[in-house]
Amino acid sequence: MMVTMTDADAPLHFVKDVDLEAPAGSLWRWAGPQATLKILAQGTQNLKLSVDFTLWPTAFEQTGPVELTFFVNTRQLDKVRYTTPGDKHFLKPIPEEWLTTEIESTISITIDKMFVGADGKKFGFILSSAGFVQ
């Protein structure tokens, strides 16, 4: 129930705004303004949303503090303001009625400010893993 960016099948879980182009063996992927993945829950009780990500220090110099909003099946689970760059871990219980084992659930993570590179490309945050844990 966890998608790690090093998984060979990780791109099969990407729905939106997760970079498909990653160097071989890469431990992470760039995420855009609304990174969305799909995952099949194997149960609904006592699950938590777990996300490991990084706020790139160079981007943080441009954007300053950012807010990430975490959704499960379009329902807002939490909104967190991050005031420092670096490696981050998000973990929060999911109400069991939000999940089903019948179809894949969606996890979305939005960021309020994007980094804009010198070439005009926009980047949100660095995603390492996302999924459900007990």
Side-chain angles (χ1 to χ4, degrees):
M1 296 188 298
M2 179 65 63
V3 178
T4 302
M5 297 306 114
T6 56
D7 295 343
D9 69 344
L12 298 176
H13 297 274
F14 302 165
V15 175
K16 178 181 175 183
D17 289 343
V18 180
D19 191 4
L20 290 171
E21 302 297 322
S26 180
L27 302 176
W28 54 270
R29 306 279 180 132
W30 277 111
Q34 187 180 7
T36 305
L37 298 91
K38 59 183 178 181
I39 298 173
L40 183 62
Q42 296 174 352
T44 61
Q45 295 181 351
N46 302 316
L47 292 183
K48 297 174 186 158
L49 176 60
S50 176
V51 182
D52 287 308
F53 62 98
T54 302
L55 298 174
W56 187 37
T58 301
F60 211 82
E61 290 173 13
Q62 183 186 102
T63 64
V66 294
E67 280 188 354
L68 272 68
T69 308
F70 300 86
F71 297 88
V72 175
N73 290 327
T74 70
R75 294 179 170 159
Q76 183 176 320
L77 184 62
D78 203 355
K79 181 184 279 191
V80 181
R81 184 171 191 263
Y82 294 94
T83 59
T84 60
D87 295 338
K88 308 293 180 188
H89 179 71
F90 175 85
L91 184 69
K92 186 162 185 175
I94 305 166
E96 66 181 82
E97 63 272 13
W98 289 17
L99 297 169
T100 179
T101 57
E102 305 298 317
I103 59 170
E104 292 173 314
S105 293
T106 57
I107 295 169
S108 295
I109 306 123
T110 64
I111 188 166
D112 67 336
K113 292 182 260 180
M114 300 284 289
F115 169 77
V116 181
D119 59 0
K121 287 187 179 181
K122 295 180 180 180
F123 302 94
F125 57 96
I126 296 168
L127 182 62
S128 298
S129 65
F132 307 133
V133 296
Q134 289 193 317

